[in-house]
Amino acid sequence: MRRRNAIIAALWYAVLTTIVVVMMAPVAWMISTAFKPELQILTTQIRWIPDPPTLEHFQAVLSRHALWRWLINSVVVATAATLLVLLLDSLAGYALARMEFTGRDALFAVILSMLFVPLQITVIPLFLIFANLGLVDTYAALILPVGANVTGVFLMRQFFLSIPGELEDAARVDGANDWQIWARVVLPLARPALLAVAIVTFLSAWNAFFWPLIATRSDAARPLAVGIAQFLTLRPGLAQTVQAYGPSMAAATIAALPPILFFFALQRHFIQGVSMTGLKG
Amino acid sequence: MRILAPTGFQARVAARKRIYWTPFLFLAPYLFLFVSLRLFPSLIGLAISFTNWSAVGVPQWVGLANYQALFVDPRFRDALTNTALFTAMAVPALVGLGLAFALFLNQPHRGRGLGRVAVFTPYVIMPTVVGVLWTWILEKDFGLLNVLLGRQIPWLVSPSWAMLGLVLAAVWSMVGYNTVLFLAGLQDIPTELYEAARIDGANAWRSFWSLTLPLLAPTAFLVLMLTIINTFQVFDLVYVMTSGGPGTSTLTMVQYVYTTAFQFFKFGYGSAVAMVMFVVLVIVALIQTRAYRRGLESIY
């Protein structure tokens, strides 16, 4: 029996190693290529450790493209969008969960129904709206539509429904009004839900591509996701693209590392946040 | 408390004040954005699809003309079949592998945390970066995959391989998300059930088929829905890796919306394509919900 368990465990670790290697190999290859001298990139020899490592691709990419600017744009937009969503959705979710008013359920149904409308339908009118306001190519065009999301409101509402009402009653007896109850009683309790919404909102704002591609025209507001795609788009069949793998991987590394490190640091919250919003949204 | 509260007209006025205004104030900021940037644009999108609106000239109401044109538009047909093909290839892989990874990483061995991190890491890399990275990995002569395989498969440059190349990149980048959802579903199953089954003499295989799978059905249904919705709207990877080519071999629905509306500025026609996507998604959701209900009835 013990021997059988040992064999099973050995098999399990063999499979685990395979999974880890297969999933991480592309990431390792990206970083490795980014540091390789040109001659070691276009070869059929597999070399994981660049020898000698070089920073030339990073220098080339950073001097030729507004990579830092895109990075700053992405950080500003994703942070602002996350804060906006946290504030609006915790307010709206609380009202939908805890306050009595006519038409509440109908309103919630209307909000929820938009979950099924793909973004592509709204993108053309959205572009026309922002073009009319003269807000194309601004942070506002990237941030405000995120505030209209449905998942966050839904999640906050579900969370507020799940907390017991006694605390709010007690605060009310002590003379607190709805705003004070929301700010001092309910929000502190909602930290896990707020964190989940924050992580998922940040991630999706950071990764967003379709709308930012349409809504930005210059480096002034262009986020990283769009910037990387715009200059590194490697059209198959074009000979000159063969040269670009070193710089491409350097840029890809710069773009990929912050979220990866962030994820490593906050893994548990990440995974919890994603599973919470996925299962309930 | 209730006995001490003021009664009569004043109380009703006070109650009315509280009931009517505070919820509205709580909701107002969100509703302002929701209505103006989500609800209203959706309805306008529907309306635009009945016009011939383009960047120049005055839009005219053309009724169903855009939809009629779609029927005979070969590029639209390609986009529809390509998207269906991509979904048909990616969804089984994403759901099946996600489930397999979750079952595997749910085993009580040390090191499973490392496995979870490794599987989920690609998901936090932005899709356009995934596209750039996989363009290099799938490169014909020096790409990592071909070098490892010892072959020169023209992954992204030949019409017959390009779609498979996209699927590989998509599965790699998104499988971690499904794994996490399945893991959460597995952890919701009470361990007492397994103990009870063991006492009743069920072996591991038996309790997997009779306990784990049926109890995981709601999660599986949800994962399937989310995966179909996500893969059906694939855009970022296609834009970066093939931009719909070679030819129209990887032209997808969203890519087609993008080119018609924002490269050729045919807003009316592009909106009609987007509306078709919406209708397809709704039909898929309806069919699945139905099948799911029936499946549940047969289990319980």
Side-chain angles (χ1 to χ4, degrees), chain A residues 94-101 104 178, chain B residues 18-19 22-24 26:
Chain A
Y94 183 65
L96 289 168
R98 284 296 213 225
M99 294 179 179
E100 303 270 341
F101 57 96
R104 182 185 68 178
D178 286 312
Chain B
R18 159 160 291 168
I19 286 166
T22 320
F24 178 74
F26 268 71

Side-chain angles (χ1 to χ4, degrees), chain B residues 7-275:
Chain B
T7 51
F9 180 71
Q10 274 185 327
R12 255 180 290 150
V13 170
R16 198 170 281 177
K17 249 185 179 167
R18 159 160 291 168
I19 286 166
Y20 282 126
W21 287 106
T22 320
F24 178 74
L25 291 176
F26 268 71
L27 281 160
Y30 172 73
L31 282 185
F32 173 71
L33 289 185
F34 173 78
V35 171
S36 58
L37 300 181
R38 183 95 203 202
L39 188 63
F40 175 68
S42 303
L43 300 174
I44 294 296
L46 178 63
I48 293 177
S49 75
F50 297 117
T51 70
N52 64 354
W53 198 351
S54 57
V56 285
V58 182
Q60 276 179 329
W61 194 263
V62 293
L64 289 171
N66 286 328
Y67 293 91
Q68 281 164 343
L70 282 178
F71 268 102
V72 289
D73 178 351
R75 287 177 67 81
F76 174 73
R77 209 180 319 129
D78 286 345
L80 194 60
T81 45
N82 286 337
T83 309
L85 184 66
F86 179 82
T87 308
M89 290 203 281
V91 169
L94 280 167
V95 176
L97 266 182
L99 178 61
F101 283 172
L103 288 170
F104 178 80
L105 293 172
N106 201 38
Q107 301 301 311
H109 290 284
R110 269 160 167 258
R112 63 180 178 177
L114 175 72
R116 285 174 195 185
V117 169
V119 167
F120 195 71
T121 298
Y123 186 73
V124 302
I125 302 177
M126 58 174 69
T128 44
V129 169
V130 171
V132 170
L133 169 57
W134 276 80
T135 306
W136 168 218
I137 288 181
L138 297 175
E139 205 269 337
K140 182 168 146 286
D141 296 307
F142 308 109
L144 181 64
L145 189 60
N146 276 351
V147 171
L148 285 174
L149 292 173
R151 297 181 58 184
Q152 292 197 321
I153 299 171
W155 288 108
L156 298 175
V157 286
S158 112
S160 42
W161 287 96
M163 190 60 92
L164 190 60
L166 285 176
V167 170
L168 283 179
V171 170
W172 177 79
S173 86
M174 296 196 294
V175 70
Y177 182 66
N178 286 355
T179 308
V180 164
L181 296 187
F182 273 123
L183 274 170
L186 282 172
Q187 275 145 22
D188 279 347
I189 301 176
T191 43
E192 295 86 44
L193 287 178
Y194 289 102
E195 278 159 34
R198 204 162 44 91
I199 292 166
D200 287 347
N203 59 18
W205 192 243
R206 175 77 214 214
S207 63
F208 172 73
W209 279 105
S210 310
L211 270 182
T212 311
L213 276 191
L215 289 173
L216 211 53
T219 310
F221 168 72
L222 185 105
V223 172
L224 188 64
M225 283 280 271
L226 288 176
T227 312
I228 291 180
I229 292 172
N230 282 337
T231 48
F232 200 76
Q233 300 182 52
V234 63
F235 177 63
D236 328 30
L237 286 179
V238 180
Y239 181 91
V240 174
M241 293 174 69
T242 64
S243 37
T248 56
S249 60
T250 57
L251 179 74
T252 60
M253 295 284 275
V254 180
Q255 175 85 18
Y256 196 47
V257 173
Y258 175 72
T259 35
T260 40
F262 295 102
Q263 287 183 332
F264 297 105
F265 298 104
K266 295 198 274 185
F267 294 133
Y269 199 62
S271 293
V273 178
M275 288 310 297

